[in-house]
Amino acid sequence: MTSGAGPVERQLRASVAHFAGPARAVATAVVGIFGVVATPGTALPLAFGLLALTLVAGVVDVAGGPRASFALSVLRAGAVGAAQPWLGSVPGEASLWAVNVLTLTAITWQWEHPPRVTVPALVVLLATGFFAGSGAWLPVVPRVVVESVLARLAFVVLLRSTARTDAARAEKAAAVQAAALDRDRRRREREYLALLHDTASATFLAVASGAVADPAAVAGYAAHDLAVLTGGHDPGAEDTPLDLEAGLRMVLAGRALPVEARWTPVPLVPASAALALLRAAEEALRNAERHSGARSVAVHLDPAPGGVTVTIADNGAGFDPAAVPPARRGVRGSVVERMRIAGGTAEITSRPGAGTTVTLRWSCAWTTGADRRGHADCAARRHRGVHLASWGGYDCDAEVVVCLNHRPGSPRPPGSCCSASPRSSSPP
């Protein structure tokens, strides 16, 4: 078997190796039985002996290894060819038993062994038949040669066809992998830009607006930003909070269906949960555009105890969620599973003719009531500005809303869902 062969070529070679021997065994046994019937009575003992040899070689063809099968195939074809003077029923003609056994052997060899092995063996068998059958064997030689060449050519054509198939599959797999890598690269770029917006850009805006004037605080924010942007940020310990409303507005921009959006001030959401919510919402919108036949879709962002709720509802055809095949991963993988991994939930409510509603929920179990009230109060009173995560309270300005964080070096009180970062970003 060729070491560099692809999976299709390997499968072809394995199939040939599996079926060629048994096919040769059955065919030569049938030919041997008819040969015994056509043998003159005086040569029947010899004919039965050759039939026994044929059956033994057939057993090896089926159950033996390739070397033993090849050796007994040579012995079987050679013995029948050498016995032509006694097997022939018509004087002056080659024995059909010998001719058919040699033909079957030569053809099946081309599918199992390389020419460097089969050509010398065929030369020996043709010479044996020629000397035993004399002039009657002359027409057999070109026949066997032509059939062997055609069998080999057919096998080579099939091998090249499987090689082209393997190459096409490899190219397709490489293209799919490249596309996946490109999508992942672009996704990472978007996430990094969002992270840049939520860290360094927010720090610059806070300093420029005068919201943060303490040099020590600015230095602490800058150090935190550098750690986050360069990877020195422990996602398990800190998760940069994001403005989910700003992200949802970006997702809703330029949709194929008209969107009726309703925004209620919500607390900041950690980046991992925000990304899961945004991607799940985008998948739900995409499904509504592609499959629902709806005229519009409604998107609601609402606060929930310790977190947020995003609702996507359409007035389309609807479907039966229980009838979705397990192989369909759109809703199950991109919405439900994604939210589960992020620590949230996704609920799909639909029935034929009644539209579809997707409800995404995420909550932080250890967010305190003061945190939620503070976030909601800042969100309600902001005109434009920067949200900063807080442990200790909220200082809302008419122009720039600043949720004060702890100063660097101070102890971190427990109980804040958004205690991971000095601040989130301003809305775009």
Side-chain angles (χ1 to χ4, degrees), residues 226-260:
L226 182 63
V228 171
L229 293 173
T230 58
H233 172 69
D234 181 5
E238 300 185 27
D239 200 352
T240 305
L242 301 180
D243 188 338
L244 185 61
E245 178 182 330
L248 275 176
R249 289 183 183 275
M250 294 173 60
V251 170
L252 298 184
R255 305 305 307 188
L257 287 177
V259 178
E260 301 173 4

Side-chain angles (χ1 to χ4, degrees), residues 86-419:
W86 299 275
L87 300 179
S89 57
V90 180
E93 291 187 5
S95 168
L96 292 179
W97 187 356
V99 172
N100 289 329
V101 167
L102 180 58
T103 300
L104 290 169
T105 301
I107 290 175
T108 53
W109 275 355
Q110 307 310 313
W111 297 69
E112 295 177 287
H113 307 286
R116 68 175 183 274
V117 175
T118 60
V119 170
L122 280 178
V123 169
V124 171
L125 292 177
L126 288 172
T128 301
F130 178 78
F131 286 116
S134 187
W137 196 257
L138 286 177
V140 176
V141 175
R143 168 187 166 180
V144 173
V145 171
V146 170
E147 290 176 343
S148 300
V149 170
L150 290 177
R152 187 66 191 180
L153 287 177
F155 185 57
V156 170
V157 168
L158 277 176
L159 285 180
R160 291 183 177 178
S161 176
T162 57
R164 287 194 296 269
T165 302
D166 284 325
R169 286 187 173 185
E171 290 177 1
K172 183 178 180 181
V176 170
Q177 183 180 19
L181 291 174
D182 184 63
R183 287 194 301 270
D184 184 69
R185 177 183 59 79
R186 287 187 276 110
R187 177 185 61 81
R188 291 177 181 272
E189 288 177 354
R190 290 194 298 269
E191 292 178 359
Y192 187 80
L193 290 175
L195 192 62
L196 183 65
H197 182 263
D198 296 329
T199 52
S201 297
T203 297
F204 292 145
L205 183 58
V207 173
S209 66
V212 179
D214 184 0
V218 174
Y221 298 158
H224 174 273
D225 294 345
L226 182 63
V228 171
L229 293 173
T230 58
H233 172 69
D234 181 5
E238 300 185 27
D239 200 352
T240 305
L242 301 180
D243 188 338
L244 185 61
E245 178 182 330
L248 275 176
R249 289 183 183 275
M250 294 173 60
V251 170
L252 298 184
R255 305 305 307 188
L257 287 177
V259 178
E260 301 173 4
R262 187 190 70 195
W263 312 104
T264 304
V266 296
L268 302 177
V269 177
S272 58
L275 289 173
L277 285 162
L278 293 176
R279 290 173 183 163
E282 187 173 18
E283 179 65 20
L285 288 167
R286 189 180 298 113
N287 286 338
E289 292 168 350
R290 292 179 177 176
H291 308 299
S292 71
R295 295 184 299 274
S296 64
V297 61
V299 177
H300 297 165
L301 174 63
D302 300 293
V308 296
T309 299
V310 179
T311 306
I312 303 98
D314 66 65
N315 56 2
F319 67 100
D320 181 5
V324 177
R328 296 283 297 275
R329 296 287 299 169
V331 172
R332 188 175 293 105
S334 297
V335 178
V336 178
E337 184 66 14
R338 175 170 284 157
M339 289 302 301
R340 185 192 67 79
I341 292 174
T345 62
E347 179 182 348
I348 293 90
T349 304
S350 181
R351 69 175 187 270
T356 300
T357 299
V358 178
T359 305
L360 310 175
R361 296 184 179 90
W362 183 89
S363 64
C364 180
W366 29 272
T367 302
T368 65
D371 291 328
R372 292 195 295 273
R373 288 193 299 273
H375 279 301
D377 182 55
C378 280
R381 293 174 55 187
R382 75 175 184 262
H383 299 282
R384 58 178 175 83
V386 184
H387 271 232
L388 300 184
S390 172
W391 284 296
Y394 297 83
D395 179 17
C396 299
D397 183 79
E399 289 297 322
V400 178
V401 178
V402 180
C403 300
L404 298 176
N405 199 343
H406 77 298
R407 291 293 179 257
S410 63
R412 296 186 175 187
S416 175
C417 181
C418 302
S419 62

